[in-house]
């Protein structure tokens, strides 16, 4: 089937503004958009820039806005976004992060926010036995957030960041939840200044866009609301 990839291009050395460029190509309905992009780069314009690594939805490096929605290019098939002969499929970089070139964004702020929630196990207590024992129920309490691949799709889809660029964002909150709800972790008080903050969990307005676009089907909004409840409970406990 003939399709057109309309790709948002931006080369900071020559462009003052991003521009959309059309790349017509023949594609199978079952072809991945990532493969179509690679073919455009190989066959039509070698300067086209985008990130990818694993090609299988694991590394999170090829999140971009395809047909107006945040998706992983390696997990999006042509048939997901184009049905008719000649269909135009728009491809653009994620929002709220500076574009380095074409579909590549500068992820520095995204990862600064990720690091701000202390996304690691905090526990200074001596280990009683050889390991910190955890029941299956306790392990299940933080299973969902462990699927996060830090792709940034939820961050780009969140309308709150439009008005509040300081918002730590859904991905960082999911990563915080990975440890907040881990029975072995003691770091909640140290994370409170970031989480219990107008730019922390409370900035979430429950738009659910994050949950809709997450390629790992993490219940992002539900997780953020669980953090809000944990903050309230902790503050009641210390009152
Ligand atoms: S929560 Fe989902 S959408 Fe957000 S960074 Fe993690 S995997 Fe990507
Ligand atoms: S290339 Fe790794 S998630 Fe798509």
């Amino acid at each position: 089937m003939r399709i057109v990839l309309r790709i948002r291009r931006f080369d900071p050395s020559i462009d003052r503004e991003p521009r959309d460029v059309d790349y017509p190509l023949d594609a199978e309905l079952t072809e991945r958009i990532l493969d179509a992009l690679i073919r455009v780069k190989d066959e039509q314009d070698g300067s086209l820039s985008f990130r990818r690594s694993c090609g299988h939805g694991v590394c999170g490096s090829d999140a971009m806005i395809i047909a107006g929605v945040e998706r992983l290019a390696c997990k999006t098939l042509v048939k997901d976004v184009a049905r008719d002969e000649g269909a135009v499929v728009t491809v653009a970089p994620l929002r709220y992060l500076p574009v380095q070139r074409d579909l590549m964004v500068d992820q520095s702020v995204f990862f600064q926010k990720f690091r701000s929630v202390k996304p690691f196990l905090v526990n200074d207590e001596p280990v009683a036995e050889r390991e910190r024992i955890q029941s299956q129920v306790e392990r299940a309490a933080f299973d969902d957030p462990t699927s996060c691949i830090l792709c940034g799709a939820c961050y780009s889809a969140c309308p709150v960041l439009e008005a509040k660029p300081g918002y730590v964002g859904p991905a960082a909150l999911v990563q915080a939840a990975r440890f907040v709800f881990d029975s072995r972790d003691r770091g909640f008080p140290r994370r409170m200044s970031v989480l219990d903050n107008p730019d922390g969990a409370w900035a979430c307005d429950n738009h659910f866009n994050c949950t809709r676009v997450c390629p790992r089907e993490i219940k992002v909004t539900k997780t953020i609301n669980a953090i809000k409840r944990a903050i309230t409970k902790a503050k009641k406990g210390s009152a």
Side-chain angles (χ1 to χ4, degrees):
M1 187 175 86
R2 196 76 173 158
I3 63 166
V4 175
L5 287 188
R6 179 165 294 164
I7 304 176
R8 181 78 43 87
R9 302 290 311 264
F10 178 68
D11 177 349
S13 66
I14 53 172
D15 295 323
R16 296 180 68 175
E17 296 289 331
R19 62 205 154 88
D20 288 336
V21 182
D22 285 358
Y23 298 94
L25 73 162
D26 292 320
E28 299 291 329
L29 285 173
T30 51
E31 183 173 355
R32 303 176 309 173
I33 293 296
L34 178 61
D35 292 324
L37 286 171
I38 291 170
R39 285 206 288 122
V40 168
K41 185 174 175 67
D42 287 349
E43 298 164 13
Q44 299 193 42
D45 188 342
S47 70
L48 177 65
S49 300
F50 53 91
R51 286 196 185 93
R52 87 280 192 205
S53 181
C54 70
H56 295 284
V58 178
C59 72
S61 60
D62 64 340
M64 52 188 78
I65 302 178
I66 302 169
V69 176
E70 286 77 4
R71 314 171 200 247
L72 298 177
C74 65
K75 298 293 281 184
T76 305
L77 302 180
V78 168
K79 68 179 179 184
D80 296 333
V81 288
R83 284 274 171 194
D84 304 321
E85 183 70 24
V88 175
V89 179
T90 57
V91 186
L94 294 182
R95 299 196 300 161
Y96 310 132
L97 297 169
V99 177
Q100 289 174 313
R101 184 171 172 135
D102 298 336
L103 304 172
M104 289 168 48
V105 291
D106 182 346
Q107 299 166 306
S108 304
V109 168
F110 178 76
F111 282 108
Q112 269 167 23
K113 291 177 175 179
F114 161 65
R115 283 191 291 273
S116 75
V117 303
K118 302 189 193 308
F120 44 83
L121 193 88
V122 177
N123 190 335
D124 301 329
E125 297 165 4
V127 182
E129 300 169 37
R130 282 186 302 176
E131 57 188 318
R132 299 185 196 278
I133 304 292
Q134 190 166 55
S135 72
Q136 288 183 1
V137 172
E138 287 169 335
R139 172 62 182 79
F142 63 91
D143 194 56
D144 200 32
T146 62
S147 302
C148 178
I149 54 174
L150 286 168
C151 66
C154 55
Y155 189 89
S156 171
C158 177
V160 172
L161 277 144
E162 184 98 47
K164 283 190 164 190
Y167 173 36
V168 71
L173 292 169
V174 165
Q175 291 289 329
R178 155 68 187 83
F179 297 97
V180 165
F181 300 113
D182 187 328
S183 61
R184 301 163 298 181
D185 188 86
R186 302 288 178 269
F188 197 41
R190 292 189 221 170
R191 295 189 185 96
M192 272 293 237
S193 62
V194 175
L195 301 179
D196 183 24
N197 184 300
D199 280 336
W202 302 114
C204 171
D205 285 336
N206 287 301
H207 290 277
F208 279 86
N209 287 13
C210 51
T211 305
R212 277 190 282 272
V213 301
C214 177
R216 305 302 300 240
E217 299 182 356
I218 297 170
K219 298 175 190 70
V220 184
T221 318
K222 185 177 175 189
T223 301
I224 297 172
N225 286 329
I227 291 178
K228 291 177 185 171
R229 285 195 297 277
I231 293 169
T232 304
K233 189 174 164 196
K235 286 167 91 171
K236 271 190 191 151
S238 61

